[in-house]
Amino acid sequence: MHDDRSITEHRLRRVLKERIKPAVHSRSVPLAIERWEAPGEPVPVAEGLAAAYGPCAIGDAWGPAWGTTWFKVTGTVPAGWAGRTVEAVLDLGFDRMMPGFQCEGLVHRADGGEVKALNPYNDWVRVADSAVGGERIEWYVEAASNPVLVDHSATYEGDVRTSGDQPLYRLARMDLAVFETEVWELVQDLEVLHDLMTQLDGRDARRYEILRALDCALDAVDLDDVPGTVPAARARLAAALAAPAHASAHRISAIGHAHIDSAWLWPLRETVRKVARTASNMVSLMDEHPEFVFAMSQAQQLDWIKTHRPELFERVKKKIADGQFVPVGGMWVESDTNMVGGEAMARQFLYGKKFFMDEFGIETDNVWLPDSFGYTAAMPQIVKLSGSRWFLTQKISWSQVNKFPHHTFWWEGIDGSRVFTHFPPVDTYNSDLGGAQLAHAARNYQEKGRGSRSLVPFGWGDGGGGPTREQLARAKRQRNLEGSPRVEIERPDAFFEKAHAEYPDAPVWAGELYLELHRGTYTSQAKTKQGNRRSESLLHEAELWASTAAVRIPGYVYPYEDLERIWKTVLLHQFHDILPGSSIAWVHREARETYAEVEEELTALTLAAQRALAGEGEEELVFNCAPHARRGIAAGGASRPTAATTTTGQPVTVEERRGGGHVLANGRLRVEIDGRGLIVSAYDLEAGRESVAPGAAANLLQIHPDFPNMWDAWDIDAFYRNKVTDLVDVDGLAVAETGPMSATVRAARSFGSSSVVQSVTLRAGAKTVDIVTDVDWHETEKLLKAAFPLDVKAERTASETQFGHVYRATHTNTSWEAAKFEICAHRWIHAEEPGWGVAVLNDSTYGHDVTRDVRPDGGQTTTIRLSLLRAPRYPDPETDQGAHTLRYSLAPGAALCDAVREGHALNLPERTVTGAGPVAPLVAVDGDAVVVESVKLAEDRGGDVVVRLYESGGGRARATLTAGFPLSAAVESDLLERPLEGTAVGPLTPDGTVPLTLRPFQIVTLRLHRS
């Protein structure tokens, strides 16, 4: 037989595009159009409806960047259409290739109720299934003219303050039209069979069966009368569509989904509207398709609907009760997981799951994070303690180097907790259920022979939109179709139950799910990251002192509502395109403003509680909110500090250094700063060890070119290391401060268009060298690092993560290790030889790299570098430009417990308040290994004190918790503060203390019942 495949396929593509698809909407009449341009920001619906509309016509330009145009469309159904299916086709000027990234609209009735959203694959609105001639149509379209920002080039359109005012779109079509149902069904038949056919092997008989069926169907279509000849064409396809799937066919659980970035190439305020537009379409689709199931994560987004679209929220609630609209994820937002602090990650689940329970009476079982940029090894324990059972991600498929070896597996965290995890082999969280994607899922699935099923999230996403009626038609046709995986639309929990039942002994992956891409997100937008870290610290502080005051001070009212509101604001800004620094300028400008407001409000709450605790008096009291004692002040207490020099009895001295520079010493450390202002020695006097590698200099600023292959704000590519400039020239060097309690040497430098002043300080009694780097940064596409070459032979380093730390190799023996050339750490990184180590600490930096070199003398240099600043041009062309203050420290001789203690101390500074006398801690835990992460009052307003603590060293720990108030019981709880059957907490002792026994890195939440 002659091979005519390409001819038939080309014929199908042309006939579909030029004849059959245009016949879906046959007869049409234009709608009358009027318009009104909303001034400035979007207005309430009532204001849009009441506006004074002016003339408008098809082809008119509309919509400057970030504007809102209201269109009023009116018309009458022709009498001759009675009984026919009628739709309005409302094309705002869509580019069909970019759903979610351009103009969008929401159609309102005259009474303000939502009808349906408009986007490139949803440009229709059903008028009637059986129209009545003469029926009057009056709708109002709230159209958003969001600029297209997806081409990865520098643009100032990403902020309303710098964007242009020229119209971006032209109105394309606004008609009433007859919807030809059978023609539409034929389109779905043809597309499903064509997509399936092209995925089959050229030697497969099934491919030729479909080819011949398609050829015959096209023969039956009269191109001059498509609607009239559709039944005959569909009949010729019936047998091909009825052939059942093979018994061994891969099984796909299709879950409707619309990944909506809470901010990215649009500001938060636009996401509020995107969420409403998507939800309105989903509930409308559910009305027409009772089998349709749609999963939506992010409690914040549902809360936006509740707040801004209460009528729509009631429709959503009904669909949730019916089981079609399924809240998933259990978190306030789909947050970043690399940089979010431990307590903040716990609150993501506390407030997310609490919202779902309060509003809908349901508890989510799964964690839904398809798009975050890697996943912390602390996550499995946090997931389990939230009461969740399953974990889903997709993003690891983006890794550049190594293919992840599993699709269904048990993920084991740093404490040994495991969570059943699925990584959909379809390799997208925005599937269209097309043949190519389904075939890829089946081929790619790595559990063959043990498992048989995978999950596919389908629907347009990133900018929202969700599933379409076409996608539901594909699912229906591929439910049981020869050559295709079996597709069943079902709830996520149904998939996980089936997957777990068939594969309970799935393989185990231990440790972080490191994404081998987007490593620049640990550094981009430094002020956003500083705002997050500072807000987390301030919340810790405010809750601690407010709890102490609420228990101790009559009449003091714990600020439940204020703290919850602020927490939710901070949690929102941990979304995986805000905290990572990968959003447009508008988003980060607003984030900076928001963090400033958060700091002001939390500072006021903290000072109010501290003043209440201190009472009236003139004694200077230092409040220590860190989880370890310092300067003689108990953790969580306040008192006069003891002298800082009591450890050694020696003040700080400053001497001139031979050859230039200065030498600082305090009896514990001797620090040499050379004439270039660099630390050439940091000698541990107690251990007799030098921490700086021979011939090297620490606190060395280095600058690299930083022009990744594609994702500017997201990526750091390994080739950046090929070129480096050491910033060693000094404009000025001087002793800026000297005295018995501390001494500071300050160095000034200039480079490129930027300048920097670094202050190196040694304090009395301290074993840390503190560095403040003030940078006026005006570079473009550059990366600024601070290097600490250490005289330590370390096979691995420890990096702080949530509630513990992770070890990473310093060598690059395998491609997996080599791919981790940029890593994330929270407050510290620690490098150690047996018995002696060094920590590098920071107060707001997350990006780091660690390398090792063997010197000619046989010694090994382990270099830890902090990534301080970047300057990508997309999506924010002014990323990180301006003044920054960056703080970090070097801790020679530090053990792991020292790194934990000093990291908290750097991030939780003291406050001084005058008052009557000391304040005893509300709770105290003996020993350094068990760290108190947070102290708060219970969410249920019952007055219980909630304490969250964890084992920080990676070993077994015994400790005793002492409450500074009468205690009747201590109950181990989950993250939602519900009783948990555990073994960490012993019964109260006769003296009212609580014995604790923790396994390595275990998190324990206690509810302390007050007598």
Side-chain angles (χ1 to χ4, degrees), residues 56 108 262 302 323 450 477 480 507 519 537 551 567 591 602 700 741 747 794 813 827 847 869 916 932 936 968:
C56 183
H108 301 269
S262 288
L302 286 159
R450 299 298 303 278
R477 285 160 174 78
N480 186 17
R519 304 166 183 89
S537 297
V551 172
W567 261 117
L602 287 174
L700 171 65
M741 303 307 295
N813 283 0
R827 287 168 284 216
L869 294 170
V932 175
K936 62 187 289 290
S968 63

Side-chain angles (χ1 to χ4, degrees), residues 813-878:
N813 283 0
T814 72
S815 59
W816 294 87
E817 290 141 356
K820 295 181 181 180
F821 58 81
E822 184 81 4
I823 57 176
C824 182
H826 284 210
R827 287 168 284 216
W828 51 266
I829 284 189
H830 184 257
E832 185 177 34
E833 293 177 7
W836 194 83
V838 181
V840 177
L841 317 156
N842 73 83
D843 80 340
S844 59
T845 296
Y846 296 93
H848 297 75
D849 74 278
V850 180
T851 54
R852 57 187 281 174
D853 297 284
V854 175
R855 305 187 298 267
D857 66 2
Q860 178 183 311
T861 299
T862 301
T863 301
I864 296 174
R865 297 199 304 167
L866 299 92
S867 299
L868 300 181
L869 294 170
R870 299 186 67 214
R873 298 274 290 153
Y874 175 82
D876 176 5
E878 299 292 330

Side-chain angles (χ1 to χ4, degrees), residues 783-803:
L783 171 62
L784 182 67
K785 292 248 182 186
F788 291 84
L790 307 176
D791 190 10
V792 177
K793 186 181 188 303
E795 299 301 311
R796 61 183 186 176
T797 55
S799 299
E800 190 192 33
T801 189
Q802 298 90 344
F803 302 108

Side-chain angles (χ1 to χ4, degrees), residues 732-763:
L733 179 68
V735 176
E737 175 189 346
T738 182
M741 303 307 295
S742 68
T744 299
V745 174
R746 188 164 294 155
R749 311 179 195 282
S750 56
F751 57 96
S753 302
S754 305
S755 61
V756 59
V757 175
Q758 288 194 291
S759 302
V760 180
T761 299
L762 183 65
R763 305 183 193 282

Side-chain angles (χ1 to χ4, degrees), residues 553 608-617 619 621 623 638 913-919:
I553 308 300
Q610 289 176 334
R611 290 187 182 116
L613 288 163
E616 296 295 329
E619 183 177 353
L621 303 174
F623 282 75
V913 176
T914 58
V919 178

Side-chain angles (χ1 to χ4, degrees), residues 716-737:
I716 293 175
D717 285 334
F719 52 74
Y720 85 90
R721 290 180 176 173
N722 296 348
K723 185 176 181 181
V724 60
T725 300
D726 293 342
L727 303 181
V728 295
D729 293 337
V730 63
D731 299 333
L733 179 68
V735 176
E737 175 189 346

Side-chain angles (χ1 to χ4, degrees), residues 499-740:
H500 179 256
E502 79 167 359
Y503 203 14
D505 58 344
V508 176
W509 179 270
E512 65 184 326
L513 296 175
Y514 178 89
L515 177 64
E516 297 172 357
L517 194 73
H518 294 358
R519 304 166 183 89
T521 58
Y522 313 147
T523 304
S524 296
Q525 298 288 356
K527 288 186 177 177
T528 297
K529 291 168 172 57
Q530 283 185 325
N532 174 74
R533 180 82 70 85
R534 183 68 177 141
S535 296
E536 290 179 346
S537 297
L538 288 166
L539 279 161
H540 167 94
E541 189 179 9
E543 287 186 332
L544 170 64
W545 302 125
S547 299
T548 307
V551 172
R552 299 264 176 80
I553 308 300
Y556 179 89
V557 179
Y558 188 80
Y560 288 104
E561 288 76 15
D562 290 337
L563 288 169
E564 179 173 336
R565 172 178 48 79
I566 295 169
W567 261 117
K568 289 177 177 177
T569 298
V570 173
L571 298 179
L572 167 60
H573 286 79
Q574 291 173 342
F575 179 74
H576 65 253
D577 275 309
I578 303 179
L579 179 54
S582 48
S583 287
I584 55 174
W586 190 347
V587 173
H588 292 290
R589 170 174 57 81
E590 288 191 333
R592 293 190 294 272
E593 295 165 358
T594 297
Y595 285 131
E597 294 167 1
V598 164
E599 180 169 5
E600 181 179 3
E601 189 168 4
L602 287 174
T603 299
L605 290 174
T606 295
L607 291 176
Q610 289 176 334
R611 290 187 182 116
L613 288 163
E616 296 295 329
E618 299 302 320
E619 183 177 353
E620 281 199 350
L621 303 174
V622 175
F623 282 75
N624 175 20
C625 67
H628 306 89
R630 54 184 170 185
R631 295 206 292 156
I633 308 165
S639 64
R640 291 175 63 92
T642 57
T645 58
T646 54
T647 304
T648 64
Q650 295 186 23
V652 181
T653 61
V654 182
E655 298 177 355
E656 295 295 317
R657 177 179 176 272
R658 182 179 298 177
H662 308 278
V663 179
L664 312 181
N666 66 357
R668 305 186 76 189
L669 294 179
R670 186 180 70 240
V671 181
E672 294 188 32
I673 301 167
D674 71 3
R676 302 170 299 172
L678 303 176
I679 299 173
V680 292
S681 173
Y683 193 81
D684 180 353
L685 294 167
E686 295 172 333
R689 276 288 302 258
E690 174 61 65
S691 58
V692 179
N699 191 33
L700 171 65
L701 295 179
Q702 297 178 306
I703 197 162
H704 297 268
D706 182 21
F707 190 64
N709 284 343
M710 181 175 180
W711 300 88
D712 290 16
W714 291 259
D715 282 355
I716 293 175
D717 285 334
F719 52 74
Y720 85 90
R721 290 180 176 173
N722 296 348
K723 185 176 181 181
V724 60
T725 300
D726 293 342
L727 303 181
V728 295
D729 293 337
V730 63
D731 299 333
L733 179 68
V735 176
E737 175 189 346
T738 182

